[in-house]
Amino acid sequence: MTSNKNEENAQSENAKTDHPQSSESPNADSPPETKSADQLKQDKSKQQRQQNQAIPTNDLDQNTTLNNVASAPVIANKSKFSIIWILPIIAVLIGVGMVYNDWQNRGIHIQVEFETAEGLEAKKTVLKNRNVGIGLVKKISFSADKKTILVDIEVDKSMDSFLVEDSEFWVVKPRFGATGFTGVGTLLSGAYIEVSPGQSNSEKFAFVGLETPPVTSLNADGIHLKLISRGNKPLNVGNPVLHKGFEVGAVESKYYDDLEQEAHYDIFIHAPFHNLVTENTSFWNVNGLSITTSTQGVSLTMASLDALVAGGVEFGLVDDAVPGVGVPQNHQFQVYDSQESIDEQRNYKFIEYVILVEDSVGGLHKGAPVDYRGIRLGTVSKPYMEFWEIIDIAGVGIEDRIPVVIKLEPERLMKNGYISIDIFKGMVDDWIKEGLTASIENANLITGNLKVSLQPGGKPINVVGQFGEYPVIPAAQGGFASLSKKLENILGELEKLPLNATLANINGLIDSADETVKTSAKVIEKASMTLGTLEQSLQELQSTLKGLQPESHVYRSVEQMIKKIEIALDEIKPIVKEVRNQPNSLVFGGPAESDKQPQASKKEGN
Amino acid sequence: MQKMFMLTVFCLLVMSCGTMSQAPDPTYYLFDAEPRVQKQKTTTTRIKLEQIKLADYLSTNQLVMRDGGQVLIKANYHSWADSLDDAIGRALLSDLNTLNENSEFVSRCNSCDSISVTIEHFYPGADGKLLLSGFFEISSKNTENTLSRFKLVDDLSIDGYANAVKQMREQVGALAIQINQKL
């Protein structure tokens, strides 16, 4: 019983200690506090712990403890952490987590430089690749020099592979170009920035955007080539590259080299058509109509409708050339004005000769053909040398012939072969020694253009002559000169003719012819009158014949008359018959027998 | 003496002339002796009757008769007053116009249906039979041409050509009935 009382006292003391604010125990007269089930459980467990601490292990201990309890109060340390701080701590932790999450998911900031911000809006314009949004424009600002626009874009963190050195950025917006309308879909959705990922491994976060969309993707499989045009038919970016009419690529960029005065184009040919481009491939312009006249007639060449409107460039092997080996990326080709002009404009290796012409060279132009017995072998380089150049070579007033410089291009004769220029020069020199001559001949009778014609059969010479630095091909009188000479001969012969006597004879002949004509006119007049009469007669005959037609009155009258004659003859027949049988009946009369008449049928009893 | 001889010869000649027998007078027969007055028709359907085609031996003004077997006798003193083909044509036109109220039969017409009649046999016989045979063809623009043969044989009721002609006219009337039935 004693222990129980001690326990009760301890409990009461503990209770006082635990709840200093409550001056009385729960069993006191003050109204009991309302406690939740958890609080009740906690109280119970505390009481249990205190009971366990207060229970002595033996009687001695029990007594000692009781004495201590009775002598000193139990002091329990008050907890310094108030439970009220739990909620702010949680809030702070959540905030820190959010910040971390935001930092963790934050995109990559890049900057793209454009010339204009047309169609772009901060926090609206998106960055796309193949219509998949991978970023958003955050800010649009000017560059330091105010010449360009800087567009800050936040790219999704997972899309960092797009941000490499050779990636390309451009604005997709409605455009009208050589290939027609593009970006029509952005009329409603608004412009966006398209990115084409590069193939480099080094990262980059500042780019210079393209002002026009690239014609071909960086990842496209094919070959990039460079074309040079010295003609006057320009190509535009986006123009198709054709092979036998099929579109296999496009012109990517262009620029004009004002120093060299030639246009440079970058083109791309898609795989697998890039295999068609070899070292012997030729490129030519296909825009517009091409009308060419030749000895084979007039030919009209027209590209496809797209190429006709927008232009384009076609490539292929011409003149049965063998393909040869393939070409590397960015190989350079020349673009010719047309397929027909390839032979004309191609750069051939050449050797130059000079022809000292005594005839006129009017109608001979630079670029005129040089034929060898009708086969194109070269080109006229200079139809005439400049005055000072002649003086330098020959001296003042010594040379009165006109030096015509020609280029002999042996590659024209061998599309797929090769010949050394030196070897060819040796061959030509040999031909000259054997009698090769050159003459100026008519190339086109209508336009009066001339050409240089080489032909063998001249006078053999020992040494090839030299005019300045040029070897000389001996000149022969050409067709035009010989024609002139023939004309001169004819005119000379004409002069020798007795023209006055001939003219007198001709006058006499004309007079007699005049008389003959007058006589003929009279005869013709008479003939026309006769013809008129004949025509009238024919008309009368026609009317007469018309009167004799079965429906005519005359015909009917004649018919009736014939019938009457027939009747009369029928009446005469008996007399004739009687006279034939008995001639004397005319005098003495014959037996006048009456006709036998039909009898009535016997069936009727007649 | 000589004068007496000449006078005697002249007298004999005169006497011989006086003994010459008198030749019978020729008789002419009208085939369609009883023409009818045709009523005015309002129809627009016209049918042309072509010229009647007769066998050659009938294309004469002499009446003919068959004297048994294959013998045909042409009369010397019995003749048609008009050509037989015209007369038969007139008779047929008259009969057909009388028989058929729906069509008008004419001898001349452009682009009309037409009837052509060919008569091969048309004569009385010594055996008392009257024969009319041949064929007629009806040509129409809308239908195929139809060719029909006809043969009419009647007994002669009285002797002589006069009655024969009358019955021949009646036979043509019977032919008109046959043609009308085929239209």
Side-chain angles (χ1 to χ4, degrees), chain A residues 135-183:
Chain A
L136 184 69
V137 171
K138 288 291 181 183
K139 193 174 82 175
I140 299 173
S141 57
F142 285 99
S143 62
D145 58 359
K146 305 289 188 294
K147 288 183 178 176
T148 55
I149 299 296
L150 301 175
V151 180
D152 291 327
I153 305 171
E154 186 180 317
V155 183
D156 292 351
K157 203 168 186 179
S158 58
M159 300 295 173
D160 57 345
S161 59
F162 284 90
L163 308 176
V164 291
E165 202 167 19
D166 53 351
S167 294
E168 290 178 329
F169 294 78
W170 67 92
V171 179
V172 177
K173 56 188 177 184
R175 294 174 195 271
F176 178 71
T179 53
F181 277 107
T182 56

Short mmCIF file of all heavy atoms in Angstrom, two decimals, chain A residues 135-183:
data_model
loop_
_atom_site.label_atom_id
_atom_site.label_comp_id
_atom_site.label_asym_id
_atom_site.label_seq_id
_atom_site.Cartn_x
_atom_site.Cartn_y
_atom_site.Cartn_z
N GLY A 135 12.21 25.46 -78.66
CA GLY A 135 12.67 26.63 -77.92
C GLY A 135 11.71 27.79 -78.11
O GLY A 135 10.73 27.70 -78.84
N LEU A 136 12.01 28.90 -77.40
CA LEU A 136 11.13 30.06 -77.44
C LEU A 136 12.00 31.33 -77.43
O LEU A 136 12.99 31.40 -76.70
CB LEU A 136 10.19 30.04 -76.23
CG LEU A 136 9.15 31.15 -76.17
CD1 LEU A 136 8.10 30.95 -77.27
CD2 LEU A 136 8.46 31.16 -74.81
N VAL A 137 11.57 32.29 -78.22
CA VAL A 137 12.29 33.56 -78.26
C VAL A 137 12.01 34.31 -76.96
O VAL A 137 10.84 34.53 -76.59
CB VAL A 137 11.85 34.39 -79.48
CG1 VAL A 137 12.44 35.80 -79.40
CG2 VAL A 137 12.28 33.72 -80.76
N LYS A 138 13.04 34.68 -76.24
CA LYS A 138 12.86 35.36 -74.95
C LYS A 138 12.96 36.86 -75.09
O LYS A 138 12.24 37.61 -74.48
CB LYS A 138 13.93 34.86 -73.97
CG LYS A 138 13.70 33.44 -73.50
CD LYS A 138 12.47 33.36 -72.62
CE LYS A 138 12.26 31.93 -72.12
NZ LYS A 138 11.02 31.83 -71.32
N LYS A 139 13.90 37.26 -75.93
CA LYS A 139 14.13 38.70 -76.01
C LYS A 139 14.63 39.06 -77.42
O LYS A 139 15.35 38.27 -78.04
CB LYS A 139 15.18 39.11 -74.98
CG LYS A 139 15.26 40.62 -74.77
CD LYS A 139 16.20 40.95 -73.63
CE LYS A 139 17.62 40.94 -74.09
NZ LYS A 139 18.58 41.35 -73.07
N ILE A 140 14.24 40.22 -77.88
CA ILE A 140 14.73 40.71 -79.17
C ILE A 140 15.36 42.08 -78.91
O ILE A 140 14.71 42.97 -78.34
CB ILE A 140 13.60 40.83 -80.20
CG1 ILE A 140 12.97 39.45 -80.45
CG2 ILE A 140 14.11 41.42 -81.50
CD1 ILE A 140 11.74 39.49 -81.32
N SER A 141 16.59 42.22 -79.28
CA SER A 141 17.28 43.48 -78.99
C SER A 141 18.19 43.84 -80.17
O SER A 141 18.40 43.03 -81.07
CB SER A 141 18.11 43.34 -77.72
OG SER A 141 19.01 42.27 -77.86
N PHE A 142 18.70 45.05 -80.11
CA PHE A 142 19.62 45.48 -81.15
C PHE A 142 21.04 45.11 -80.76
O PHE A 142 21.36 45.01 -79.57
CB PHE A 142 19.54 47.00 -81.33
CG PHE A 142 18.30 47.44 -82.06
CD1 PHE A 142 17.21 47.92 -81.35
CD2 PHE A 142 18.23 47.36 -83.43
CE1 PHE A 142 16.07 48.31 -82.02
CE2 PHE A 142 17.10 47.77 -84.10
CZ PHE A 142 16.02 48.23 -83.40
N SER A 143 21.86 45.00 -81.75
CA SER A 143 23.28 44.78 -81.47
C SER A 143 23.91 46.12 -81.04
O SER A 143 23.25 47.17 -81.11
CB SER A 143 23.99 44.25 -82.72
OG SER A 143 23.89 45.20 -83.75
N ALA A 144 25.12 46.05 -80.62
CA ALA A 144 25.77 47.26 -80.11
C ALA A 144 25.86 48.34 -81.18
O ALA A 144 25.68 49.53 -80.90
CB ALA A 144 27.16 46.90 -79.60
N ASP A 145 26.13 47.94 -82.41
CA ASP A 145 26.24 48.93 -83.48
C ASP A 145 24.89 49.23 -84.14
O ASP A 145 24.83 49.93 -85.15
CB ASP A 145 27.25 48.46 -84.52
CG ASP A 145 26.88 47.12 -85.09
OD1 ASP A 145 25.84 46.55 -84.66
OD2 ASP A 145 27.61 46.62 -85.96
N LYS A 146 23.83 48.64 -83.65
CA LYS A 146 22.45 48.88 -84.13
C LYS A 146 22.24 48.44 -85.59
O LYS A 146 21.32 48.89 -86.24
CB LYS A 146 22.07 50.36 -84.02
CG LYS A 146 22.25 50.96 -82.63
CD LYS A 146 21.21 50.43 -81.68
CE LYS A 146 21.25 51.16 -80.34
NZ LYS A 146 22.52 50.92 -79.59
N LYS A 147 23.12 47.64 -86.04
CA LYS A 147 23.00 47.22 -87.45
C LYS A 147 22.27 45.89 -87.58
O LYS A 147 21.76 45.57 -88.66
CB LYS A 147 24.39 47.11 -88.10
CG LYS A 147 25.02 48.47 -88.34
CD LYS A 147 26.34 48.32 -89.04
CE LYS A 147 26.95 49.68 -89.32
NZ LYS A 147 28.29 49.55 -89.91
N THR A 148 22.27 45.12 -86.56
CA THR A 148 21.62 43.81 -86.62
C THR A 148 20.69 43.64 -85.42
O THR A 148 20.70 44.45 -84.50
CB THR A 148 22.66 42.68 -86.63
OG1 THR A 148 23.51 42.84 -85.49
CG2 THR A 148 23.49 42.69 -87.89
N ILE A 149 19.95 42.59 -85.49
CA ILE A 149 19.00 42.26 -84.43
C ILE A 149 19.52 41.02 -83.72
O ILE A 149 19.94 40.05 -84.37
CB ILE A 149 17.61 41.96 -85.02
CG1 ILE A 149 17.06 43.19 -85.76
CG2 ILE A 149 16.64 41.49 -83.97
CD1 ILE A 149 16.83 44.38 -84.86
N LEU A 150 19.49 41.07 -82.41
CA LEU A 150 19.91 39.90 -81.63
C LEU A 150 18.66 39.26 -81.03
O LEU A 150 17.90 39.93 -80.33
CB LEU A 150 20.87 40.31 -80.53
CG LEU A 150 22.15 41.02 -81.01
CD1 LEU A 150 22.97 41.48 -79.82
CD2 LEU A 150 22.97 40.09 -81.88
N VAL A 151 18.50 38.03 -81.32
CA VAL A 151 17.33 37.31 -80.82
C VAL A 151 17.81 36.30 -79.79
O VAL A 151 18.61 35.41 -80.11
CB VAL A 151 16.60 36.59 -81.98
CG1 VAL A 151 15.39 35.84 -81.48
CG2 VAL A 151 16.17 37.61 -83.03
N ASP A 152 17.37 36.49 -78.55
CA ASP A 152 17.72 35.54 -77.49
C ASP A 152 16.68 34.45 -77.45
O ASP A 152 15.47 34.73 -77.34
CB ASP A 152 17.76 36.25 -76.14
CG ASP A 152 18.94 37.20 -76.08
OD1 ASP A 152 19.99 36.88 -76.69
OD2 ASP A 152 18.82 38.27 -75.46
N ILE A 153 17.15 33.24 -77.52
CA ILE A 153 16.25 32.09 -77.58
C ILE A 153 16.63 31.14 -76.46
O ILE A 153 17.82 30.89 -76.21
CB ILE A 153 16.37 31.37 -78.94
CG1 ILE A 153 16.12 32.35 -80.09
CG2 ILE A 153 15.39 30.21 -79.03
CD1 ILE A 153 16.42 31.77 -81.45
N GLU A 154 15.60 30.65 -75.81
CA GLU A 154 15.84 29.62 -74.81
C GLU A 154 15.49 28.29 -75.43
O GLU A 154 14.32 28.05 -75.79
CB GLU A 154 14.99 29.87 -73.56
CG GLU A 154 15.31 28.90 -72.45
CD GLU A 154 14.45 29.16 -71.23
OE1 GLU A 154 14.26 30.33 -70.85
OE2 GLU A 154 13.94 28.18 -70.67
N VAL A 155 16.49 27.45 -75.54
CA VAL A 155 16.31 26.15 -76.18
C VAL A 155 16.16 25.09 -75.10
O VAL A 155 16.84 25.16 -74.06
CB VAL A 155 17.52 25.81 -77.08
CG1 VAL A 155 17.31 24.50 -77.81
CG2 VAL A 155 17.74 26.93 -78.09
N ASP A 156 15.24 24.16 -75.35
CA ASP A 156 15.06 23.07 -74.38
C ASP A 156 16.40 22.40 -74.10
O ASP A 156 17.19 22.17 -75.03
CB ASP A 156 14.06 22.05 -74.92
CG ASP A 156 12.67 22.64 -74.99
OD1 ASP A 156 12.49 23.75 -74.47
OD2 ASP A 156 11.78 21.99 -75.59
N LYS A 157 16.58 22.05 -72.82
CA LYS A 157 17.88 21.51 -72.41
C LYS A 157 18.21 20.21 -73.16
O LYS A 157 19.36 19.93 -73.49
CB LYS A 157 17.87 21.25 -70.90
CG LYS A 157 19.23 21.24 -70.28
CD LYS A 157 19.11 21.27 -68.78
CE LYS A 157 20.48 21.40 -68.14
NZ LYS A 157 20.38 21.46 -66.68
N SER A 158 17.13 19.46 -73.42
CA SER A 158 17.37 18.16 -74.07
C SER A 158 17.71 18.31 -75.56
O SER A 158 18.05 17.34 -76.22
CB SER A 158 16.12 17.29 -73.94
OG SER A 158 15.02 17.95 -74.51
N MET A 159 17.57 19.54 -76.07
CA MET A 159 17.82 19.76 -77.49
C MET A 159 19.18 20.40 -77.73
O MET A 159 19.38 21.12 -78.70
CB MET A 159 16.72 20.67 -78.09
CG MET A 159 15.34 20.10 -77.97
SD MET A 159 15.14 18.60 -78.93
CE MET A 159 13.51 18.09 -78.40
N ASP A 160 20.09 20.19 -76.84
CA ASP A 160 21.40 20.82 -76.98
C ASP A 160 22.18 20.31 -78.19
O ASP A 160 23.13 20.95 -78.64
CB ASP A 160 22.22 20.62 -75.70
CG ASP A 160 22.37 19.14 -75.38
OD1 ASP A 160 21.61 18.34 -75.97
OD2 ASP A 160 23.23 18.78 -74.55
N SER A 161 21.76 19.16 -78.73
CA SER A 161 22.47 18.63 -79.90
C SER A 161 22.28 19.50 -81.13
O SER A 161 23.03 19.39 -82.10
CB SER A 161 21.99 17.20 -80.19
OG SER A 161 20.61 17.21 -80.43
N PHE A 162 21.25 20.37 -81.10
CA PHE A 162 21.05 21.27 -82.24
C PHE A 162 22.03 22.43 -82.24
O PHE A 162 22.18 23.11 -83.23
CB PHE A 162 19.62 21.84 -82.20
CG PHE A 162 18.58 20.85 -82.64
CD1 PHE A 162 17.96 20.02 -81.73
CD2 PHE A 162 18.21 20.73 -83.97
CE1 PHE A 162 17.00 19.11 -82.12
CE2 PHE A 162 17.25 19.82 -84.38
CZ PHE A 162 16.65 19.00 -83.45
N LEU A 163 22.66 22.66 -81.11
CA LEU A 163 23.46 23.88 -80.95
C LEU A 163 24.93 23.56 -81.19
O LEU A 163 25.73 23.51 -80.25
CB LEU A 163 23.24 24.46 -79.56
CG LEU A 163 21.76 24.66 -79.20
CD1 LEU A 163 21.62 25.14 -77.77
CD2 LEU A 163 21.10 25.63 -80.16
N VAL A 164 25.24 23.29 -82.44
CA VAL A 164 26.62 23.02 -82.80
C VAL A 164 27.08 24.08 -83.79
O VAL A 164 26.27 24.89 -84.28
CB VAL A 164 26.79 21.60 -83.38
CG1 VAL A 164 26.56 20.56 -82.31
CG2 VAL A 164 25.87 21.41 -84.56
N GLU A 165 28.33 24.04 -84.10
CA GLU A 165 28.97 25.13 -84.82
C GLU A 165 28.33 25.45 -86.17
O GLU A 165 28.15 26.61 -86.53
CB GLU A 165 30.45 24.80 -85.00
CG GLU A 165 31.30 26.00 -85.23
CD GLU A 165 32.77 25.67 -85.09
OE1 GLU A 165 33.11 24.46 -85.17
OE2 GLU A 165 33.56 26.58 -84.89
N ASP A 166 28.00 24.41 -86.90
CA ASP A 166 27.49 24.65 -88.27
C ASP A 166 25.98 24.54 -88.37
O ASP A 166 25.43 24.33 -89.45
CB ASP A 166 28.16 23.68 -89.25
CG ASP A 166 28.02 22.25 -88.80
OD1 ASP A 166 27.56 22.03 -87.67
OD2 ASP A 166 28.36 21.34 -89.58
N SER A 167 25.28 24.69 -87.26
CA SER A 167 23.81 24.71 -87.33
C SER A 167 23.37 26.01 -88.02
O SER A 167 24.05 27.03 -87.93
CB SER A 167 23.21 24.64 -85.93
OG SER A 167 23.49 23.40 -85.34
N GLU A 168 22.24 25.92 -88.66
CA GLU A 168 21.75 27.08 -89.42
C GLU A 168 20.39 27.49 -88.89
O GLU A 168 19.54 26.64 -88.59
CB GLU A 168 21.63 26.74 -90.91
CG GLU A 168 22.99 26.57 -91.57
CD GLU A 168 22.86 26.17 -93.02
OE1 GLU A 168 21.88 25.49 -93.38
OE2 GLU A 168 23.74 26.54 -93.80
N PHE A 169 20.19 28.79 -88.77
CA PHE A 169 18.93 29.33 -88.29
C PHE A 169 18.38 30.28 -89.35
O PHE A 169 19.13 31.05 -89.94
CB PHE A 169 19.13 30.12 -86.99
CG PHE A 169 19.54 29.25 -85.83
CD1 PHE A 169 20.85 28.81 -85.70
CD2 PHE A 169 18.63 28.88 -84.86
CE1 PHE A 169 21.24 28.02 -84.63
CE2 PHE A 169 19.00 28.09 -83.79
CZ PHE A 169 20.30 27.65 -83.68
N TRP A 170 17.10 30.22 -89.59
CA TRP A 170 16.47 31.18 -90.49
C TRP A 170 15.00 31.34 -90.08
O TRP A 170 14.45 30.50 -89.36
CB TRP A 170 16.60 30.73 -91.94
CG TRP A 170 15.83 29.49 -92.30
CD1 TRP A 170 14.57 29.40 -92.79
CD2 TRP A 170 16.29 28.13 -92.16
NE1 TRP A 170 14.22 28.09 -92.99
CE2 TRP A 170 15.26 27.29 -92.61
CE3 TRP A 170 17.48 27.55 -91.70
CZ2 TRP A 170 15.37 25.91 -92.62
CZ3 TRP A 170 17.58 26.18 -91.71
CH2 TRP A 170 16.54 25.37 -92.17
N VAL A 171 14.43 32.45 -90.53
CA VAL A 171 13.05 32.75 -90.18
C VAL A 171 12.14 32.18 -91.27
O VAL A 171 12.36 32.44 -92.46
CB VAL A 171 12.83 34.26 -90.03
CG1 VAL A 171 11.37 34.56 -89.70
CG2 VAL A 171 13.74 34.81 -88.97
N VAL A 172 11.15 31.42 -90.85
CA VAL A 172 10.17 30.89 -91.80
C VAL A 172 8.97 31.82 -91.80
O VAL A 172 8.30 31.99 -90.78
CB VAL A 172 9.73 29.46 -91.42
CG1 VAL A 172 8.67 28.96 -92.38
CG2 VAL A 172 10.92 28.53 -91.41
N LYS A 173 8.76 32.45 -92.93
CA LYS A 173 7.63 33.38 -93.07
C LYS A 173 7.20 33.32 -94.54
O LYS A 173 7.90 32.75 -95.38
CB LYS A 173 8.05 34.78 -92.68
CG LYS A 173 9.25 35.31 -93.46
CD LYS A 173 9.72 36.61 -92.90
CE LYS A 173 10.97 37.09 -93.62
NZ LYS A 173 11.52 38.31 -93.05
N PRO A 174 6.05 33.86 -94.89
CA PRO A 174 5.60 33.79 -96.28
C PRO A 174 6.60 34.47 -97.21
O PRO A 174 7.00 35.61 -96.98
CB PRO A 174 4.26 34.54 -96.27
CG PRO A 174 3.82 34.50 -94.87
CD PRO A 174 5.04 34.51 -94.03
N ARG A 175 7.01 33.74 -98.22
CA ARG A 175 7.97 34.26 -99.20
C ARG A 175 7.51 33.89 -100.60
O ARG A 175 6.87 32.87 -100.80
CB ARG A 175 9.37 33.67 -98.98
CG ARG A 175 10.03 34.05 -97.68
CD ARG A 175 11.32 33.28 -97.53
NE ARG A 175 11.83 33.33 -96.17
CZ ARG A 175 12.65 34.26 -95.72
NH1 ARG A 175 13.05 35.21 -96.52
NH2 ARG A 175 13.06 34.23 -94.47
N PHE A 176 7.90 34.71 -101.56
CA PHE A 176 7.66 34.41 -102.98
C PHE A 176 9.01 34.45 -103.68
O PHE A 176 9.68 35.48 -103.68
CB PHE A 176 6.71 35.42 -103.61
CG PHE A 176 6.47 35.17 -105.07
CD1 PHE A 176 5.73 34.08 -105.50
CD2 PHE A 176 7.03 36.00 -106.04
CE1 PHE A 176 5.52 33.84 -106.83
CE2 PHE A 176 6.83 35.76 -107.38
CZ PHE A 176 6.07 34.68 -107.77
N GLY A 177 9.39 33.31 -104.20
CA GLY A 177 10.70 33.26 -104.85
C GLY A 177 10.65 32.47 -106.13
O GLY A 177 9.58 32.30 -106.73
N ALA A 178 11.82 32.02 -106.53
CA ALA A 178 11.93 31.29 -107.80
C ALA A 178 11.16 29.99 -107.76
O ALA A 178 10.70 29.50 -108.80
CB ALA A 178 13.40 31.01 -108.09
N THR A 179 11.03 29.43 -106.58
CA THR A 179 10.33 28.13 -106.48
C THR A 179 8.87 28.32 -106.12
O THR A 179 8.19 27.37 -105.79
CB THR A 179 11.00 27.26 -105.42
OG1 THR A 179 11.09 28.01 -104.20
CG2 THR A 179 12.39 26.86 -105.85
N GLY A 180 8.38 29.57 -106.15
CA GLY A 180 6.97 29.82 -105.89
C GLY A 180 6.76 30.32 -104.47
O GLY A 180 7.67 30.87 -103.86
N PHE A 181 5.54 30.15 -103.96
CA PHE A 181 5.21 30.59 -102.61
C PHE A 181 5.70 29.58 -101.60
O PHE A 181 5.49 28.37 -101.75
CB PHE A 181 3.69 30.73 -102.48
CG PHE A 181 3.19 32.05 -103.00
CD1 PHE A 181 2.49 32.10 -104.20
CD2 PHE A 181 3.43 33.23 -102.32
CE1 PHE A 181 2.03 33.29 -104.69
CE2 PHE A 181 2.97 34.43 -102.82
CZ PHE A 181 2.27 34.47 -104.00
N THR A 182 6.34 30.05 -100.56
CA THR A 182 6.75 29.18 -99.47
C THR A 182 6.32 29.82 -98.17
O THR A 182 6.13 31.04 -98.10
CB THR A 182 8.27 28.97 -99.45
OG1 THR A 182 8.91 30.24 -99.39
CG2 THR A 182 8.76 28.23 -100.69
N GLY A 183 6.15 29.00 -97.15
CA GLY A 183 5.79 29.49 -95.83
C GLY A 183 4.39 30.03 -95.75
O GLY A 183 4.10 30.92 -94.95
#
